[in-house]
Amino acid sequence: MIKSVSKFKIVLPVIIAIAVFVCRLQMLLQSSEPSGLDGYFYALQAKSFALNGRLENPDYKIGYYLCGVFAFIFRNPVLGCKIYASLVSSLLILSIYAVFKSLRTDYGFCILGCSVAAASFSIASMSINYINNLTGITFFIFYASSVFALDLRTQGKKSHFILPVVLFILCFLSHLVSSAFAFVFTVLMVLRKRSIKKQVVFFTGALLLAVIVFSRQLPRFNSVFSLGPVFPVFSRFMVKAIGFRICLELSIAFAFGWIVFIGGVIFSIKKKIFDILLMFIPVLFFPFWNLSVLDMGYRMLLSAVPCGIIIAFHALDGIITCPRKTLAGVFAAMILVPFGFATKSSYDLSRDPPYAYYKKVVRNIELSDDSLLIAHLGLNHVYTYEKNLRDALNYVPDFYVPAEKLWRLAYGVNVLAIEENLYDVPEDVLEKCVRKIDSSYVLIREDLWQKFLAREEEVYVHNYMNWYNPHSARPSFIRRRRKSFDR
């Protein structure tokens, strides 16, 4: 009887997960183009893996490969990525329920926590722009659930460690954020049962190991820290860039996380027993991110929201002692679930790059398969996707490319100005190597572009040096090592 009741309890989380899948897919299918700022990058990675069994841009992140699997199954990379993102969103709900179950949280709060996650605009937005982050945080919460379940066992067998180890590896294969969360969480769980002296020694060693593991990413952190504003809702840039609702959610999660942390510290001082796992909260809700850019800080806070929901409702379960809290939690959750469909408005199509226009731009560009095109971000991915996976960079290559193979889509330049400055170039070469695409873009061979810039008046050259006309080499911390251009 008890087992049958226990099995029945999974029904509501599954219903919520299915509702989330339907809602997310409806949201993403509002556009026939890939979703989000990096939509075409995910799509071309998936297309390359589905067609060739390898990624167009080599990467360890498992999300790209899983998108490729779905692209192969549905014979459509764009649709495959959207279905995968929707599926991971629903699995996130089940991971939250799993960790609640491992923590033995009251069932009512389990369901209510899942419903809040389903109705979260910030979590919904991850399926639009940050599929790898979403994949990673889902694996991380499943990992935390397996560790808590293992921690409750009185006798541990070797087979019990298989699932946590696999999930730990998947965290590292998903994204830097989930790998950092998994690393810190593991360290704190190991320290949890050690003496203070051993905790200090182990923590010092873990800190050194973390520096070694993440040292390759350190150059990226130069501009991600700031003294304020601490709350996203007080950042004008964040409110404008991602909307007030998401900023409010991030701020509430941040505030509640720190309330739990401070309350836990005060309780520990009174009881003279400190649970070091509390130190995970300042990692989740680090207060000194630079909130004037959509970079690491924003992604960390987004990924922290599902964890914050778990912390919040598990803490509330310990505080509230009402005998009918289970029924109240389930009832509140059922009321909240329909509001989850409002999260479809998280997807503002106007914030996507003009992918349909970019497709028109690249439609009439015919270069050889061993060529390389320089084009600004977004357009470069559309070109690669649409043109037989031909290479395109939104940087100036820092490796050798034969002059006749290197081209550029220049933006905002008059063809007549180019021809006037290239007065010594034969007409047949100009006709072949300089071509107007539309009123905004000109296709030009890179060596002729550089020659044009060297001769053009400085004031005009300064205007051309913008985001639309890539003019710098790829930053060293994301640069792919290659000495020559050889497909």
Side-chain angles (χ1 to χ4, degrees):
M1 180 66 179
I2 295 176
K3 288 184 177 180
S4 62
V5 172
S6 180
K7 289 181 180 178
F8 177 76
K9 287 184 176 181
I10 191 63
V11 172
L12 287 180
V14 169
I15 291 174
I16 295 172
I18 292 173
V20 167
F21 175 81
V22 173
C23 178
R24 297 291 183 270
L25 189 56
Q26 287 180 344
M27 176 183 73
L28 297 176
L29 289 178
Q30 292 178 86
S31 170
S32 59
E33 302 293 342
S35 308
L37 300 175
D38 291 327
Y40 259 102
F41 184 74
Y42 279 98
L44 76 87
Q45 291 283 70
K47 181 178 182 179
S48 178
F49 186 70
L51 293 178
N52 305 321
R54 61 177 177 81
L55 298 181
E56 174 67 13
N57 296 274
D59 205 309
Y60 68 90
K61 297 183 182 68
I62 196 171
Y64 295 132
Y65 296 94
L66 294 173
C67 283
V69 171
F70 278 78
F72 178 80
I73 293 173
F74 293 96
R75 297 295 189 268
N76 185 321
V78 174
L79 178 62
C81 289
K82 293 183 179 184
I83 292 176
Y84 171 71
S86 303
L87 178 61
V88 178
S89 296
S90 64
L91 289 176
L92 177 63
I93 301 301
L94 296 180
S95 73
I96 291 173
Y97 175 74
V99 79
F100 276 137
K101 192 170 183 294
S102 297
L103 290 170
R104 297 181 178 177
T105 307
D106 178 82
Y107 182 72
F109 285 100
C110 292
I111 301 303
L112 186 56
C114 291
S115 298
V116 170
S120 168
F121 290 94
S122 55
I123 293 177
S125 69
M126 294 180 72
S127 62
I128 302 169
N129 286 303
Y130 304 115
I131 298 177
N132 282 330
N133 283 81
L134 180 61
T135 300
I137 198 63
T138 300
F139 280 134
F140 167 69
I141 296 176
F142 272 125
Y143 169 65
S145 170
S146 69
V147 172
F148 284 131
L150 186 67
D151 194 49
L152 290 174
R153 294 181 183 272
T154 55
Q155 292 182 346
K157 298 179 180 179
K158 290 183 179 179
S159 59
H160 295 160
F161 290 88
I162 294 176
L163 180 60
V165 169
V166 170
L167 291 170
F168 181 80
I169 293 172
L170 289 173
C171 289
F172 272 78
L173 293 178
S174 298
H175 198 270
L176 180 64
V177 172
S178 60
S179 60
F181 283 3
F183 180 83
V184 174
F185 176 77
T186 303
V187 169
L188 294 176
M189 286 299 293
V190 171
L191 290 177
R192 203 179 189 192
K193 295 184 178 180
R194 300 293 185 270
S195 64
I196 296 297
K197 182 178 179 180
K198 289 183 178 180
Q199 286 183 3
V200 173
V201 173
F202 195 97
F203 187 81
T204 303
L207 188 62
L208 292 174
L209 181 59
V211 171
I212 295 172
V213 171
F214 298 110
S215 60
R216 290 184 62 185
Q217 296 290 333
L218 289 179
R220 184 178 179 183
F221 297 154
N222 289 336
S223 61
V224 299
F225 300 120
S226 175
L227 293 178
V230 173
F231 292 94
V233 76
F234 295 134
S235 167
R236 291 183 179 178
F237 170 83
M238 292 288 281
V239 172
K240 183 178 180 180
I242 63 176
F244 179 78
R245 293 178 304 187
I246 295 179
C247 285
L248 181 62
E249 280 189 13
L250 296 178
S251 300
I252 291 173
F254 182 96
F256 202 96
W258 276 94
I259 289 172
V260 172
F261 174 73
I262 294 171
V265 171
I266 294 173
F267 179 82
S268 298
I269 292 174
K270 290 182 178 180
K271 298 294 183 179
K272 296 182 179 180
I273 299 175
F274 181 69
D275 187 349
I276 198 170
L277 196 59
L278 279 170
M279 294 304 299
F280 192 56
I281 295 178
V283 175
L284 290 172
F285 302 106
F286 185 71
F288 302 118
W289 293 119
N290 181 1
L291 300 182
S292 62
V293 291
L294 295 181
D295 197 9
M296 181 61 72
Y298 174 50
R299 295 194 184 201
M300 289 287 283
L301 290 176
L302 270 183
S303 300
V305 169
C307 302
I309 290 172
I310 294 168
I311 293 170
F313 285 96
H314 183 65
L316 287 173
D317 180 37
I319 296 172
I320 299 175
T321 59
C322 174
R324 295 186 178 181
K325 65 181 179 181
T326 300
L327 183 61
V330 172
F331 181 74
M334 293 301 98
I335 294 176
L336 187 61
V337 166
F339 288 94
F341 284 89
T343 59
K344 289 192 291 185
S345 63
S346 298
Y347 187 14
D348 183 357
L349 276 68
S350 66
R351 294 181 183 270
D352 281 359
Y355 289 134
Y357 168 59
Y358 289 168
K359 287 168 70 174
K360 291 181 181 178
V361 170
V362 306
R363 186 171 297 160
N364 296 322
I365 298 176
E366 291 300 334
L367 301 174
S368 61
D369 285 345
D370 60 347
S371 63
L372 174 62
L373 179 69
I374 301 171
H376 64 73
L377 188 63
L379 181 54
N380 65 325
H381 297 150
V382 174
Y383 171 83
T384 301
Y385 183 89
E386 294 289 332
K387 293 295 181 177
N388 196 32
L389 298 179
R390 293 171 190 159
D391 278 328
L393 282 179
N394 60 313
Y395 294 101
V396 176
D398 58 348
F399 47 87
Y400 172 71
V401 184
E404 68 276 9
K405 303 292 185 182
L406 185 59
W407 295 77
R408 169 185 291 268
L409 264 178
Y411 177 84
V413 186
N414 192 301
V415 174
L416 293 178
I418 294 176
E419 292 175 346
E420 287 177 2
N421 280 279
L422 300 181
Y423 50 83
D424 56 345
V425 178
E427 288 188 14
D428 60 328
V429 175
L430 283 177
E431 185 177 349
K432 182 180 178 181
C433 301
V434 179
R435 184 160 62 89
K436 181 179 179 180
I437 301 299
D438 64 8
S439 59
S440 298
Y441 293 96
V442 174
L443 179 66
I444 181 172
R445 209 170 68 190
E446 178 65 8
D447 60 325
L448 297 181
W449 170 255
Q450 294 300 331
K451 192 173 186 178
F452 161 69
L453 293 180
R455 293 178 175 179
E456 180 63 292
E457 293 183 33
E458 185 176 349
V459 62
Y460 294 118
V461 172
H462 179 73
N463 291 333
Y464 298 147
M465 297 295 99
N466 53 40
W467 181 84
Y468 289 98
N469 291 305
H471 53 278
S472 60
R474 184 180 295 244
S476 59
F477 62 89
I478 58 172
R479 185 180 300 147
R480 190 196 315 177
R481 293 182 180 178
R482 40 197 307 192
K483 296 180 180 179
S484 63
F485 182 65
D486 183 16
R487 282 184 64 101

